[in-house]
């Protein structure tokens, strides 16, 4: 029998707790601000060394300078516990955002004082307002030389006007902060002391959760974690009731299947630590152990009244790639896990925690089609697997299209925002025109900086980041957000030249590479092991060319020591994983191992390539 819903008057307000999510675009200072909140709440010992970017615990997060995984922490302010939910700022990790916002009652929108709201900020804020979260706006980095505080506040108000679902959502406090210094002010000219104004605004603005303590237990699993000692943690916010260690619960899957399980331990956050507690109540964000097969979107409930909560709706993937077993001549040399069974197990295990990812078996037993929210989403997975010791090969990303009832093809489109200098507009416009981009807005600040906005097919963005960095000489920032599916725009021209390929198995030498550099730019150094069909450079002409980089100079002609001056090579172009994925064409692959990232042709020999062309 279903439990009757309680009216708001029958719910109890938990004034001892606040649940708040922090929303910001990549590099707007969110993690640094959370550092300040943690340090100023005095959860660390006086002599404890905690460092910077405390919440970015993942290696890739620290290296890339972005938040990838949504994480929880908790601080205490004058006896009130503030649960802080750190959300990723990149739209590719929107799956992380969509599920954790369910745990919050309010949100802090952090906006850079120079850049203003970006597309990804808009995406997360839209989700937050749909869930009726109470917003606080913080204009960060007001000490920047190019800060334009009034303009950014105006842009932020325009964004709220566009996205707000009710008049109450337009009534939000605005604070000004320098996250790096750990200060927040109610006005930009106020004395810069501490984050006290932000703590007070959270307590006064974010509503205390109104909860039902006395009804049967119910919780939606919104995140998972794992450690070798306690096993799997199921993380979520208790919707109603209470839970204690060693109690029985009903696990309700997305399909409605119910099984009886036992919770071993109950944890809550204090700072960065998980601490065991004897009881948790409605409104608390907790982690429980003992439910080894728990998945995101499932409900844990009282076994006597197993009622499911609405599952989390996650946006669909827009890009797909083929992951396959490494088939190069160097296969099995560098990785711990090179087999299809190991690759399959790892990809399907990722589905447990990566809710916006999709994996399906490919055309052969050695291939798997992996779909995600964008290039960055997929490249983070590839890099994680590479570091864990997996060895495999991946194809060029392709967009996922849809068909309507009349058989027409629809493709994903994105809203692209570019911030750069006036002088690069012409070159960018020319390149984006070939990628079917449509200009929607352009605004200059009068100081040589310009913001250009485009509507562009997602496939037009594949490989664009490399061109963008080259065209703007690094003086630009770009971000994009999915806006929906529209009719297919037809074939898109490619701007890439042909490649230089190694002709045989061996070791690249200076003499052979010098010959290759007369035909184009090289990607490898002398001493690099190569094989036939491996891509070693970029040709200056549109066609592919085979070169022998293992060829050594004949030693039959003896000359004087002065005449034989050593060859000087141009330094090679070394590409990152993302650049490699951007670079390759449909007939090429990226070979990924723990030690190397190599580019190669799908068919390694000239005969295989000729036969594939005939087919």
């Amino acid at each position: 029998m279903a439990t009757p819903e309680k009216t708001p008057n029958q719910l109890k307000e938990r004034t001892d707790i606040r649940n708040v999510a922090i929303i910001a675009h990549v590099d707007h200072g969110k993690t640094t601000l959370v550092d300040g909140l943690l340090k100023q709440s005095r959860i660390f010992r006086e002599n404890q060394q905690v460092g910077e970017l405390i919440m970015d615990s993942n290696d890739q997060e620290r290296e890339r300078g972005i938040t990838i995984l949504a994480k929880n922490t908790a601080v205490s302010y004058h006896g009130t516990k503030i649960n802080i939910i750190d959300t990723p700022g990149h739209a590719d990790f929107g799956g992380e955002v969509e599920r954790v916002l369910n745990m919050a009652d309010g949100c802090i929108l952090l906006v850079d004082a120079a850049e203003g709201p970006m597309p990804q900020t808009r995406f997360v804020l839209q989700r937050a307002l749909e869930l009726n979260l109470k917003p606080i706006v913080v204009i960060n980095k007001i000490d920047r030389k190019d800060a334009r505080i009034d303009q950014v506040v105006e842009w932020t108000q325009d964004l709220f006007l566009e996205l707000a679902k009710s008049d109450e959502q337009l009534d939000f406090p605005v604070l000004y902060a320098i996250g790096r210094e750990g200060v927040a002010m109610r006005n930009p000219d106020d004395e810069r002391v501490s984050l006290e104004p932000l703590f007070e605004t959270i307590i006064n603005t974010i509503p205390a959760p109104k909860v039902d303590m006395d009804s049967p237990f119910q919780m939606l699993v919104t995140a998972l974690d794992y450690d070798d000692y306690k096993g799997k943690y199921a993380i979520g916010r208790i919707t109603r009731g209470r839970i204690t260690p060693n109690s029985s619960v009903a696990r309700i899957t997305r399909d409605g299947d119910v099984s009886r399980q036992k919770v071993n331990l109950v944890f809550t956050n204090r700072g960065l630590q998980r601490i065991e507690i004897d009881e948790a109540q409605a409104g608390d964000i907790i982690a429980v152990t003992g439910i080894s097969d728990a998945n995101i979107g499932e409900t844990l409930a009282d076994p006597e009244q197993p009622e499911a909560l609405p599952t989390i709706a996650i946006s669909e993937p827009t890009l797909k790639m083929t992951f396959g077993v490494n088939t190069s001549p160097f296969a099995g040399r560098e990785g711990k896990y090179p087999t299809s069974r190991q690759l399959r197990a790892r990809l399907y295990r990722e589905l447990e925690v990566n809710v916006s990812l999709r994996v399906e078996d490919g055309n052969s037993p050695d291939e798997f089609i992996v779909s995600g929210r964008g290039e960055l989403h997929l490249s983070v997975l590839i890099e994680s697997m590479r570091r864990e010791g997996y060895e495999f090969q991946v194809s060029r990303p392709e967009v996922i299209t849809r068909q309507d009832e009349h058989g027409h093809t629809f493709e994903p489109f994105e809203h692209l925002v570019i911030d750069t200098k006036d002088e690069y507009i012409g070159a960018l416009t020319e390149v984006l025109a070939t990628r079917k981009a449509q200009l929607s807005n352009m605004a200059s600040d009068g100081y040589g900086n310009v913001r250009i906005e485009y509507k562009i097919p997602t496939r037009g963005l594949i490989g664009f980041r490399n061109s963008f960095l080259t065209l703007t000489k690094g003086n630009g920032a770009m971000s994009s957000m999915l806006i929906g599916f529209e009719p297919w725009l037809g074939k898109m021209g490619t701007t890439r030249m042909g490649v230089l390929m190694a002709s045989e198995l061996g070791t690249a030498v200076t003499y052979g590479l010098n010959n290759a550099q007369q035909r184009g730019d090289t990607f490898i150094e002398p001493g690099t092991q190569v094989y036939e069909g491996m891509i070693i450079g970029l040709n200056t002409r549109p066609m592919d060319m085979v070169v022998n980089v293992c060829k050594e100079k004949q030693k039959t002609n003896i000359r004087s020591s002065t005449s034989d001056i050593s060859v000087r090579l141009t330094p090679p172009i070394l590409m990152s994983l993302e650049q490699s994925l951007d670079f390759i064409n449909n007939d090429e692959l990226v070979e990924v191992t723990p030690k190397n990232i190599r580019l190669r042709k799908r068919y390694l020999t000239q005969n295989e390539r000729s036969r594939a062309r005939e087919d």
Side-chain angles (χ1 to χ4, degrees):
M1 192 179 90
T3 305
E5 286 290 316
K6 292 203 175 183
T7 63
N9 295 333
Q10 293 173 291
L11 301 176
K12 291 180 184 171
E13 192 174 79
R14 285 199 60 185
T15 54
D16 62 329
I17 194 168
R18 298 289 188 278
N19 296 319
V20 61
I22 297 199
I23 297 168
H25 181 70
V26 177
D27 209 28
H28 279 199
K30 172 171 50 65
T31 307
T32 308
L33 187 74
V34 174
D35 280 3
L37 291 170
L38 285 166
K39 289 172 181 173
Q40 291 186 29
S41 65
R42 294 186 171 76
I43 58 153
F44 302 116
R45 298 189 313 274
E46 291 296 325
N47 62 345
Q48 190 172 345
Q49 297 293 313
V50 291
E52 302 298 318
L53 304 178
I54 307 163
M55 288 291 282
D56 281 350
S57 50
N58 177 308
D59 287 346
Q60 286 199 64
E61 290 182 318
R62 287 182 169 272
E63 289 167 24
R64 294 170 185 261
I66 59 173
T67 300
I68 295 169
L69 303 169
K71 291 177 283 294
N72 307 337
T73 186
V75 299
S76 185
Y77 179 75
H78 295 335
T80 302
K81 182 179 183 181
I82 303 171
N83 285 310
I84 299 171
I85 301 150
D86 188 18
T87 63
H90 201 288
D92 279 18
F93 308 109
E96 293 280 319
V97 171
E98 287 165 0
R99 59 189 173 80
V100 297
L101 287 179
N102 283 313
M103 296 194 283
D105 298 300
C107 62
I108 297 172
L109 175 66
L110 197 67
V111 182
D112 188 292
E115 294 180 10
M118 300 294 273
Q120 278 116 336
T121 317
R122 174 199 181 88
F123 164 80
V124 188
L125 181 63
Q126 187 173 359
R127 291 283 185 270
L129 294 180
E130 283 169 5
L131 291 167
N132 209 24
L133 302 190
K134 183 74 178 168
I136 297 170
V137 172
V138 177
I139 309 295
N140 193 27
K141 303 190 184 181
I142 61 167
D143 58 332
R144 282 183 62 160
K145 287 180 183 174
D146 54 350
R148 37 185 172 176
I149 298 169
D150 294 340
Q151 175 73 72
V152 167
V153 170
E154 192 179 313
W155 282 340
T156 307
Q157 288 168 339
D158 291 345
L159 183 63
F160 272 89
L161 275 171
E162 197 178 327
L163 300 179
K165 303 290 179 193
S166 65
D167 292 345
E168 292 84 58
Q169 291 178 338
L170 297 174
D171 181 23
F172 52 85
V174 179
L175 287 96
Y176 304 87
I178 305 171
R180 194 174 48 189
E181 295 178 13
V183 295
M185 297 76 69
R186 298 185 193 283
N187 294 295
D189 303 325
D190 287 355
E191 191 182 354
R192 300 172 180 182
V193 181
S194 67
L195 290 171
E196 190 97 2
L198 180 55
F199 278 117
E200 287 177 3
T201 307
I202 291 171
I203 300 296
N204 297 330
T205 306
I206 306 298
K210 288 187 175 176
V211 295
D212 181 357
M213 300 271 198
D214 305 319
S215 293
F217 170 73
Q218 198 181 34
M219 179 183 109
L220 185 71
V221 179
T222 50
L224 296 174
D225 202 357
Y226 184 86
D227 74 35
D228 294 334
Y229 302 103
K230 303 278 194 314
K232 185 184 277 189
Y233 294 88
I235 301 165
R237 173 177 163 175
I238 302 177
T239 310
R240 66 178 194 213
R242 306 161 188 264
I243 188 147
T244 55
N246 301 313
S247 54
S248 295
V249 295
R251 170 180 163 246
I252 309 164
T253 67
R254 284 172 171 263
D255 300 325
D257 299 330
V258 181
S259 59
R260 195 181 178 105
Q261 310 225 358
K262 185 183 173 187
V263 167
N264 289 345
L265 298 169
V266 180
F267 295 86
T268 187
N269 283 89
R270 182 188 291 159
L272 304 180
Q273 296 176 311
R274 279 202 186 110
I275 54 168
E276 283 184 46
I277 52 173
D278 297 329
E279 184 186 62
Q281 303 174 339
D284 284 328
I285 294 174
I286 61 164
V288 299
T289 60
I291 303 167
S292 58
D293 47 0
N295 285 308
I296 288 165
E298 296 181 345
T299 302
L300 302 182
D302 187 296
E304 305 305 319
Q305 290 181 292
E307 297 166 24
L309 286 160
T311 57
I312 304 156
I314 301 293
S315 303
E316 289 299 305
T318 56
L319 282 184
K320 63 181 179 182
M321 295 168 73
T322 302
F323 283 50
V325 172
N326 189 6
T327 57
S328 85
F330 296 164
R333 290 189 189 182
E334 298 173 356
K336 279 197 293 186
Y337 310 113
T339 68
S340 62
R341 181 181 58 80
Q342 291 162 331
L343 181 63
R344 177 192 171 88
R346 174 65 181 83
L347 288 172
Y348 279 94
R349 193 166 73 244
E350 183 70 19
L351 292 178
E352 290 186 11
V353 292
N354 204 332
V355 290
S356 46
L357 199 75
R358 304 281 183 276
V359 179
E360 53 191 291
D361 293 348
N363 299 327
S364 75
D366 292 342
E367 287 186 341
F368 307 93
I369 298 164
V370 181
S371 308
R373 291 283 281 267
E375 279 181 282
L376 186 60
H377 184 204
L378 293 168
S379 70
V380 165
L381 170 63
I382 294 168
E383 182 63 28
S384 298
M385 291 172 62
R386 182 172 93 88
R387 293 179 185 204
E388 290 165 20
Y390 288 85
E391 181 181 318
F392 52 101
Q393 61 193 28
V394 294
S395 69
R396 176 181 169 83
E398 298 173 58
V399 295
I400 298 171
T401 57
R402 294 179 181 176
Q403 302 278 336
D404 67 2
E405 61 272 17
H406 305 297
H408 300 135
T409 303
F410 284 68
E411 63 176 320
F413 274 72
E414 309 215 11
H415 177 214
L416 172 67
V417 175
I418 291 174
D419 286 307
T420 186
K421 304 280 185 189
D422 287 344
E423 61 200 89
Y424 305 121
I425 294 174
L428 285 169
T429 305
E430 195 176 326
V431 168
L432 285 164
T434 64
R435 294 170 175 268
K436 309 273 187 188
Q438 300 157 21
L439 182 66
S440 59
N441 193 21
M442 185 188 294
S444 176
D445 67 353
Y447 298 99
N449 302 310
V450 66
R451 173 171 287 189
I452 327 171
E453 298 182 33
Y454 287 92
K455 188 170 87 171
I456 183 170
T458 299
R459 62 193 166 110
L461 284 175
I462 297 173
F464 174 64
R465 195 171 295 273
N466 268 345
S467 306
F468 173 73
L469 292 172
T470 307
L471 292 169
T472 61
K473 301 183 173 66
N475 293 305
M478 60 171 276
S479 61
S480 62
M481 184 187 80
L482 181 72
I483 51 177
F485 283 72
E486 295 188 17
W488 180 266
L489 283 184
K491 194 174 178 186
M492 200 173 282
T494 178
T495 53
R496 202 199 78 180
M497 292 296 179
V499 293
L500 302 176
M501 294 173 285
S503 62
E504 61 182 55
L505 184 74
T507 304
V509 295
T510 305
Y511 184 74
L513 282 171
N514 185 48
N515 288 337
Q517 288 193 347
Q518 292 168 23
R519 292 161 176 81
D521 300 316
T522 54
F523 300 157
I524 60 170
E525 297 173 319
T528 304
Q529 296 287 310
V530 299
Y531 52 80
E532 184 180 1
M534 179 173 152
I535 297 169
I536 55 93
L538 181 66
N539 197 356
T540 51
R541 297 166 183 264
M543 77 282 282
D544 294 338
M545 183 181 289
V546 176
V547 290
N548 185 358
V549 288
C550 305
K551 183 181 180 183
E552 296 196 28
K553 187 172 182 180
Q554 296 296 322
K555 297 190 174 66
T556 53
N557 198 356
I558 299 168
R559 302 175 188 172
S560 68
S561 58
T562 53
S563 65
D564 214 3
I565 298 169
S566 61
V567 175
R568 286 178 182 262
L569 292 175
T570 306
I573 298 168
L574 302 176
M575 289 199 281
S576 67
L577 174 61
E578 278 91 358
Q579 289 170 326
S580 301
L581 295 173
D582 280 352
F583 177 83
I584 59 173
N585 278 338
N586 292 333
D587 64 335
E588 296 159 359
L589 299 169
V590 178
E591 178 188 348
V592 180
T593 77
K595 294 182 181 174
N596 289 293
I597 293 169
R598 302 185 185 94
L599 305 178
R600 51 162 286 189
K601 284 290 181 182
R602 190 181 291 271
Y603 301 103
L604 295 177
T605 67
Q606 189 66 50
N607 287 342
E608 286 175 331
R609 289 195 292 275
S610 301
R611 208 173 302 129
R613 275 197 296 272
E614 288 167 12
D615 294 344

